[in-house]
């Protein structure tokens, strides 16, 4: 099948623009050596515009575009196209500014690498718009396009961290290891919080269909990360106090992760990941530091992490709907997964039907506390490197002000996370599933997409001692 000439005429300017920009990117020279005078020069307006523009594009527009792409909203293409154009403009601004100059850095290198997924996304999007090879190549292009789009928030977050480190001159020489530890683990806490919020707000049906409780996944990640930490924190020579603390934390994670995996069998809930988070927070709160400011910030980070773990335990024990059925079935098994039936009556049915009284209302309010605290803890840890805190100390800022700044950013970040989840449940093909009471989660609706299986209503489907699972449970993923 050959593309229609009209379609080709529409995308030809985009292709030519893409080729021109690629040529500019590949031909642009980089700075290898920068004098002290250039490194200390004032930051001009063009560089500030570059930073603000790229932060808006990669931190706001592309995540929104990703969500609109998942829901197949008609606004996905215009938003992503705007983001691409602004990205190219921001890239040019970042290499044409005057004033302060920077040596070759990971931020600049990664900016060039980012053009691979950007160009790939554009080419795949254009190809999909041509609607050719519908039954041979196009299905794979759709999958690849979706995977690249979902990686965008991670790429954008990484590049923004690189940008901050480059702008301040952090993470060079002997500080690289500490930067990696703080940035990777802090970002991990924020990613964990995002996934937790998704599961709590819109992912209950997916968790039930997966046949695994959330703690099963948590425990696997904790165990694998613990194994890595156990063998990477000590680099030979004498053991320092920090080496011993970091290594034993790795041992704590993989041993606790193994227990969590075992307790999560048959889709059971358990509190082990929450307990591990609490112990990690306690260890970090007692971490020895050179500056009093650093000690205070690390202590607050540890206490926040402890509170997040405790809130997770409370949530699992008292508020979150069960993903498994307890009791003895006909085969005399004491543990039965939801793959064998429908959810238990009572609290779960009232929770899903929007009952605003009692335990269900408390659950809807409480469920935001653990992920928010994890976001706050992650930001505190990212901002607690020696270089960052030395800069704060030199500017005579006290720990209270600095910590409150981080919590303010945490409120903004978590607001955006919840907004994206709300955008997912109320746009595109999910728009018809928006509940009347405007809750974030998608409950029941007259029209539902194929890939979304509604959590069965226990009160409607319960007949005697048996549960009747509706046809929605047989729905398959949308093949488009």
């Amino acid at each position: 099948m050959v593309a229609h000439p009209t379609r080709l005429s529409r995308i030809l300017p985009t292709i030519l623009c893409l080729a021109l920009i690629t040529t500019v990117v590949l031909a642009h020279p980089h700075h290898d050596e920068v004098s002290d005078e250039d490194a200390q020069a004032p930051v001009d307006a063009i560089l500030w515009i570059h930073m603000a523009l790229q932060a808006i594009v990669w931190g706001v527009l592309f995540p929104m575009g990703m969500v609109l792409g998942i829901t197949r909203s008609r606004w996905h293409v215009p938003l992503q196209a705007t983001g691409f154009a602004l990205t190219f403009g921001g890239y040019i601004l970042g290499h044409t500014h005057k004033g302060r100059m920077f040596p070759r850095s990971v931020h600049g290198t990664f900016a060039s690498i980012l053009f691979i997924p950007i160009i790939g996304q554009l080419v795949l999007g254009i190809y999909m718009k041509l609607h050719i090879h519908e039954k041979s190549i196009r299905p794979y292009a759709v999958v690849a396009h979706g995977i690249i789009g979902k990686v965008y928030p991670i790429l954008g977050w990484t590049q923004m961290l690189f940008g901050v480190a480059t702008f301040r001159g952090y993470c060079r020489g002997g500080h690289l290891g500490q930067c990696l530890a703080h940035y990777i683990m802090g970002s991990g806490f924020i990613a964990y919080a995002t996934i937790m919020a998704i599961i709590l707000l819109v992912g209950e049906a997916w968790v039930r269909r997966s046949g695994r409780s959330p703690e099963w996944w948590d425990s696997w990640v904790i165990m694998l990360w613990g194994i890595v930490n156990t063998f990477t924190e000590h680099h030979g020579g004498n053991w320092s106090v920090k080496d011993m603390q970091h290594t034993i934390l790795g041992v704590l994670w993989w041993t606790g992760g193994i227990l969590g995996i075992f307790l999560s069998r048959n889709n059971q809930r358990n509190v082990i990941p929450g307990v591990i988070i609490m112990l990690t927070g306690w260890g970090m709160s007692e971490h020895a530091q050179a500056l009093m400011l650093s000690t205070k910030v690390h202590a607050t980070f540890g206490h926040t992490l402890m509170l997040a773990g405790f809130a997770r335990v409370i949530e699992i024990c008292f508020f979150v709907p069960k993903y498994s059925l307890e009791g003895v079935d006909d085969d005399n098994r004491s543990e039965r997964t939801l793959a064998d039936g429908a959810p238990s009556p009572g609290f779960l049915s009232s929770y899903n039907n929007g009952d605003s009284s009692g335990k269900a209302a408390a659950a809807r309010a409480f469920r935001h506390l653990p992920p928010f605290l994890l976001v706050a803890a992650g930001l505190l840890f990212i901002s607690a490197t020696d270089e960052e805190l030395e800069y704060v100390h030199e500017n005579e800022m006290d720990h209270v002000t600095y910590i409150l700044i981080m919590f303010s950013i945490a409120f903004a970040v978590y607001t955006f996370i919840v907004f994206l989840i709300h955008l997912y449940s109320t746009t595109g093909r999910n728009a018809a599933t928006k509940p009347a009471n405007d809750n974030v989660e998608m409950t029941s609706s007259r029209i539902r997409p194929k890939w979304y299986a509604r959590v069965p209503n226990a009160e409607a489907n319960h007949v005697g001692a048996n549960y009747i699972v509706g046809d929605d449970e047989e729905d398959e993923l949308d093949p488009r």
Side-chain angles (χ1 to χ4, degrees):
M1 180 178 180
V2 180
H4 195 277
T6 303
R7 291 175 180 167
L8 289 175
S9 64
R10 290 175 181 174
I11 65 175
L12 185 59
T14 304
I15 296 175
L16 294 176
C17 180
L18 181 61
L20 177 62
I21 293 172
T22 304
T23 303
V24 171
V25 170
L26 294 177
H28 184 82
H30 293 271
H31 305 288
D32 290 320
E33 296 183 3
V34 176
S35 66
D36 293 338
E37 183 179 354
D38 290 336
Q40 300 298 325
V43 177
D44 70 339
I46 294 179
L47 184 56
W48 285 116
I49 294 173
H50 160 78
M51 291 187 288
L53 186 63
Q54 296 295 61
I56 292 172
V57 171
W58 287 94
V60 179
L61 294 186
F62 278 152
M64 289 177 59
M66 175 201 70
V67 173
L68 295 177
I70 294 174
T71 63
R72 300 196 177 166
S73 168
R74 61 191 179 92
W75 295 105
H76 167 67
V77 174
L79 188 61
Q80 292 296 82
T82 302
F84 287 143
L86 294 177
T87 294
F88 295 137
Y91 183 90
I92 295 172
L93 290 176
H95 289 78
T96 58
H97 65 87
K98 306 298 181 182
R100 183 176 301 181
M101 295 295 172
F102 304 92
R104 182 180 293 273
S105 65
V106 65
H107 178 69
T109 302
F110 197 63
S112 299
I113 295 175
L114 283 178
F115 276 91
I116 296 175
I118 288 175
I119 293 173
Q121 188 81 335
L122 277 173
V123 170
L124 288 171
I126 293 170
Y127 174 79
M128 290 164 56
K129 284 296 181 182
L130 295 177
H131 288 280
I132 58 177
H133 311 119
E134 293 280 0
K135 295 184 179 180
S136 56
I137 300 176
R138 192 173 186 274
Y140 296 99
V142 172
V143 173
H145 184 80
I147 291 174
I148 295 174
K150 292 178 180 67
V151 173
Y152 265 44
I154 299 175
L155 297 176
W157 177 265
T158 303
Q159 180 66 338
M160 285 189 286
L161 286 179
F162 288 160
V164 172
T166 299
F167 182 73
R168 291 296 314 152
Y170 295 152
C171 307
R172 294 184 179 275
H175 295 285
L176 178 59
Q178 189 193 51
C179 275
L180 290 175
H182 279 256
Y183 289 177
I184 292 174
M185 183 170 288
S187 300
F189 286 134
I190 296 173
Y192 183 23
T194 303
I195 295 171
M196 184 185 298
I198 292 172
I199 289 176
L200 291 177
L201 299 179
V202 296
E204 181 187 336
W206 177 86
V207 172
R208 185 170 291 112
R209 289 197 303 271
S210 73
R212 302 289 187 182
S213 69
E215 290 72 48
W216 188 86
W217 303 99
D218 294 351
S219 299
W220 268 103
V221 173
I222 290 171
M223 184 195 72
L224 294 174
W225 186 251
I227 293 173
V228 172
N229 252 43
T230 300
F231 298 102
T232 57
E233 291 301 323
H234 179 62
H235 305 286
N238 296 328
W239 282 77
S240 67
V241 173
K242 288 188 176 182
D243 285 348
M244 289 187 284
Q245 288 182 349
H246 290 155
T247 301
I248 197 59
L249 278 175
V251 175
L252 173 78
W253 293 337
W254 68 256
T255 54
I258 290 175
L259 175 60
I261 293 171
F262 180 75
L263 295 180
S264 298
R265 72 193 189 284
N266 294 327
N267 204 14
Q268 298 301 298
R269 310 302 306 274
N270 73 85
V271 299
I272 297 302
V275 172
I276 293 174
I277 292 174
M278 284 191 287
L279 291 173
T280 302
W282 172 77
M284 291 296 179
S285 69
E286 299 293 327
H287 219 30
Q289 303 296 324
L291 294 174
M292 180 58 67
L293 173 67
S294 183
T295 301
K296 294 287 188 180
V297 172
H298 276 80
T300 304
F301 157 66
H303 296 153
T304 304
L305 199 57
M306 290 173 66
L307 187 56
F310 181 71
R312 182 64 171 158
V313 170
I314 297 299
E315 177 192 19
I316 290 170
C317 293
F318 299 104
F319 291 115
V320 176
K322 295 179 180 179
Y323 296 108
S324 64
L325 289 176
E326 297 178 357
V328 180
D329 59 11
D330 294 338
D331 296 328
N332 293 321
R333 287 185 295 157
S334 60
E335 294 171 318
R336 184 154 61 103
T337 69
L338 279 170
D340 300 322
S344 56
F347 162 53
L348 179 56
S349 61
S350 65
Y351 177 90
N352 289 324
N353 290 330
D355 184 6
S356 60
S357 63
K359 200 172 184 179
R364 287 194 295 271
F366 191 85
R367 64 190 169 180
H368 292 288
L369 183 58
F372 167 73
L373 290 172
L374 284 171
V375 169
L379 287 171
L380 281 169
F381 199 54
I382 289 173
S383 65
T385 64
D386 289 344
E387 292 173 297
E388 291 168 322
L389 294 177
E390 285 175 4
Y391 175 76
V392 173
H393 178 72
E394 290 171 358
N395 284 270
E396 299 182 351
M397 182 185 294
D398 69 329
H399 68 281
V400 175
T401 304
Y402 188 64
I403 290 169
L404 290 180
I405 290 173
M406 292 303 112
F407 268 92
S408 300
I409 297 174
F411 279 121
V413 171
Y414 188 68
T415 298
F416 187 61
I417 292 172
V418 176
F419 167 73
L420 290 179
I421 296 173
H422 177 79
L423 193 68
Y424 166 79
S425 62
T426 58
T427 59
R429 60 185 181 182
N430 295 335
T433 66
K434 182 179 179 181
N437 60 1
D438 199 29
N439 281 339
V440 173
E441 62 275 351
M442 296 184 295
T443 55
S444 60
S445 175
R446 183 169 52 86
I447 301 175
R448 289 184 299 276
K450 291 182 178 181
W451 55 267
Y452 177 73
R454 176 177 58 83
V455 178
N457 187 324
E459 293 178 352
N461 292 336
H462 181 243
V463 180
N466 297 321
Y467 289 96
I468 301 174
V469 180
D471 293 338
D472 292 324
E473 294 297 323
E474 300 297 326
D475 289 342
E476 298 179 354
L477 294 175
D478 192 334
R480 292 178 295 170

